Amino acid sequence: MLHLVGETIDKHRVQHGVETGRLVQIMRGIYVAAEDDADAMLFDHALRIAAYLYPNTYLCGSSAERLAPTPDRRLFLSGRRNARTRLRELEILQTRAPDAPETETVQITDPMGDLRVRRSTLRFRYLESFRRRSEAGAAMPLDVQVDIAARLVEAAGGQQEAIIACWRLGEANGWRTEAARAEQLIATPLREAPPPRATLHVGWHGEKTGSLSHDGSAWQWEPVATEGATPVRTGPPGRLPPFIESLLPEGWLERVLRPKSEQERISGKRYMSNIVVSGDENDLQALPADVLEGRLEEFANEGAFVGGYAGPAPSFDETLEDRMAGLYASATMPRLSGVQVKAPMNLSHDGMLRPARDQRAFTHILKPSPGAGFEELPLVEAACLAAAQACGFETAAHAIVTMPGDLPDALLVERFDIRQGRNDRRKIAMEDMASVRGVAPSEKYEGSIEQVARALRGVSSDAQADIAVLLGRAVFAWLIADGDFHLKNMAVLRVAAESGQNFSSVRFAPTYDAVTTRAFPGLEQDDLALSLAGKRNRLLSGDFIRAGATMGIDAHQVRDSIESLCACLSAHLDGLEPACGRVGRALGIWRQRIESVRD
């Protein structure tokens, strides 16, 4: 059952319900019964929730036509400002209303009873559907536009009368371009459709979730109607869905692949989280599923990998980087995001580590030394991950790999976004916070921890716990001088049952890609990647308390968290022998940061 504070329940009963575990908070003022399917509840009551949160708005675009969210769970509103609100899988998008909108009031019925809502009129939502760069407009299918045009002609008594009515409404709102496009569809019969564009089929765990096409200037995403959960949601018109965008190569791999166009950015077929993108729909099931085989814990001793290595190695005429780049010549070699040199690997049941090519599952990531002053980066990252684990954070399993040919050691990381074995039937997807917030990967250093918390609250199935972990991770990033704790180095894990209609769990992901950036040349003054309490440097305990207040965390809880993290990190440092000079420098920075925060 859905509960709206002030309408269906008072705040005292809500507090009691949360304390006794009977209610789950979705966001401030909105709660559901703990035994209910929260995502289904939000979808069924989407219009009531929108009216509760935004009483001065009206339904627009396809939502006004459908009187419901779109199949991919977007609800479009118009109001006084632009806004985007995520409530688990439901996304409410509000666009700034024009000067003279034309609306009407309709009565709907949802599981809680009757409700009166405002929506744009038929001719006004017809004009809305032609707005460029509008998600509400782009969500209106062509066949629905044609149907609305026919209804307008019938209601107006003729084509010319319908065109005049559209122009009057368009002029009143400054929508000349929209009125011209609306007139063209009414006055010009549809011709034979142009030849279809090349289509890329997108699948998740072997099931098609949608298709991508590019017309030379913009992307088009067509989701597939499905009863199951899907991690891919529609993004801004003309752009790739944020989740797909977050998977694409960047940094070193992008330079290796050298895409000549926007279309060539999707040069592979296999991506993280069991996503397959291919022009051949048969590949969605034919390419291997990524499932853990050999466990790193079984082939590691005191942080060192003790299995067999059959991965890329230098030869007399090629460097390790050349050999790694050569792996990506095959389109079936999994693609990775991130700026570092990386190789997708498979750890088999017998402990052999090989490239994840052909029909091998992609289970582990090999991160060798990038050189150029960063030779000891894998050792520093391993030290940071070990410290995170000592501080109580769930952390990606990892081990140091001795590389052939007298090369510097590499770091091997076990994937946590895939099934843990053949008997595991869950569907798992990892979505970084750039994708969750709907921003481009290039904007990963923009924003604040508080903004991440706001986005996390909208998607997490246990928001209060996850936001506390987020703040703890921010404190930890400051303590170890991690200047790369940006939007792509934090994520949520979405988990659905094999036949689940929704994600049963959406939680903050384990720690990964943590590194003391200040230990390396040229980065000695590196600040936090995202601001906290308006600052990126010289943070004190008071700054974390202020940020905690914004994030809804009690000051006592923040102080306890800071003290606990400092104590755990100090205990971890006692007697710890640095593996190399850079690690020793990192440990010295940690000690200084612990003292500065405690002061």
Side-chain angles (χ1 to χ4, degrees), residues 142-443:
L142 177 59
D143 59 341
V144 177
Q145 285 180 308
V146 172
D147 176 66
I148 294 177
R151 288 152 61 191
L152 286 175
V153 170
E154 181 180 358
Q159 281 190 357
Q160 195 60 34
E161 290 78 3
I163 291 170
I164 291 172
C166 287
W167 268 103
R168 284 175 178 167
L169 195 54
E171 290 279 6
N173 289 281
W175 287 1
R176 289 177 171 271
T177 301
E178 289 80 357
R181 296 174 70 197
E183 176 185 357
Q184 186 177 22
L185 184 58
I186 291 175
T188 307
L190 289 176
R191 297 181 176 87
E192 185 178 343
R197 298 170 285 188
T199 298
L200 293 172
H201 306 279
V202 179
W204 183 50
H205 286 281
E207 296 180 6
K208 186 172 180 179
T209 64
S211 57
L212 283 167
S213 59
H214 197 281
D215 62 6
S217 62
W219 286 103
Q220 179 69 37
W221 165 251
E222 291 291 340
V224 170
T226 175
E227 294 183 357
T230 174
V232 187
R233 68 180 190 278
T234 306
R239 281 178 50 186
L240 287 167
F243 184 77
I244 300 295
E245 177 82 14
S246 72
L247 301 176
L248 299 186
E250 53 182 335
W252 174 81
L253 183 53
E254 187 174 33
R255 291 192 296 272
V256 166
L257 297 172
R258 289 182 289 186
K260 298 181 179 65
S261 64
E262 177 68 15
Q263 299 96 305
E264 286 189 9
R265 292 179 64 206
I266 303 180
S267 60
K269 296 184 177 183
R270 298 169 61 190
Y271 294 86
M272 296 284 284
S273 296
N274 276 290
I275 291 288
V276 172
V277 183
S278 177
D280 184 352
E281 193 168 355
N282 293 325
D283 282 341
L284 303 189
Q285 292 186 334
L287 289 171
D290 295 333
V291 181
L292 273 184
E293 298 175 9
R295 297 295 188 93
L296 195 49
E297 62 183 15
E298 299 173 2
F299 302 101
N301 183 24
E302 296 183 351
F305 178 65
V306 294
Y309 180 79
S315 63
F316 73 97
D317 60 347
E318 284 188 310
T319 66
L320 175 65
E321 188 170 341
D322 292 334
R323 298 296 293 271
M324 290 183 65
L327 294 174
Y328 293 99
S330 170
T332 58
M333 190 67 179
R335 301 313 199 224
L336 294 168
S337 63
V339 299
Q340 286 183 248
V341 181
K342 300 175 185 176
M345 305 296 287
N346 170 269
L347 181 61
S348 63
H349 293 294
D350 60 2
M352 286 301 299
L353 187 64
R354 304 178 179 89
R357 66 172 83 200
D358 304 324
Q359 288 296 309
R360 294 195 192 109
F362 169 25
T363 63
H364 291 73
I365 300 172
L366 183 71
K367 304 172 76 173
S369 165
F374 289 80
E375 288 81 3
E376 295 170 339
L377 177 61
L379 296 174
V380 174
E381 184 173 346
C384 292
L385 291 175
Q389 192 169 18
C391 288
F393 295 109
E394 189 178 358
T395 307
H398 57 280
I400 291 296
V401 178
T402 301
M403 297 294 286
D406 296 324
L407 291 171
D409 292 337
L411 178 67
L412 185 65
V413 179
E414 189 165 276
R415 291 181 61 187
F416 50 74
D417 65 321
I418 59 177
R419 291 169 174 168
Q420 300 298 295
R422 293 295 171 184
N423 294 325
D424 185 356
R425 305 310 303 166
R426 298 173 302 162
K427 295 180 177 180
I428 307 171
M430 184 175 82
E431 182 177 15
D432 65 47
M433 293 307 298
S435 173
V436 171
R437 291 191 58 205
V439 304
S442 59
E443 300 172 15

Side-chain angles (χ1 to χ4, degrees), residues 514-534:
V515 64
T516 302
T517 53
R518 284 200 172 204
F520 293 94
L523 299 176
E524 293 86 355
Q525 304 302 317
D526 204 25
D527 295 335
L528 282 181
L530 303 174
S531 67
L532 184 142

Side-chain angles (χ1 to χ4, degrees), residues 34 110 236 242 292 343 423 443 459 462 464 479 489 495 517 521 534 542 559 585:
D110 67 9
L292 273 184
N423 294 325
E443 300 172 15
V459 299
D462 192 346
Q464 204 61 29
L479 290 175
N489 281 345
V495 181
T517 53
R559 290 192 187 96
R585 185 172 300 180

Side-chain angles (χ1 to χ4, degrees), residues 475-495:
V475 174
F476 179 73
W478 172 252
L479 290 175
I480 68 166
D482 180 1
D484 252 4
F485 188 50
H486 52 63
L487 294 177
K488 287 189 68 62
N489 281 345
M490 57 182 87
V492 294
L493 273 186
R494 300 179 179 274
V495 181

Side-chain angles (χ1 to χ4, degrees), residues 449-450 453 471 532-533 542-553 558:
I449 297 295
E450 292 90 334
L471 183 59
L532 184 142
D543 298 311
F544 294 106
I545 291 171
R546 281 189 291 275
T550 302
M551 297 157 68
I553 303 176
V558 178

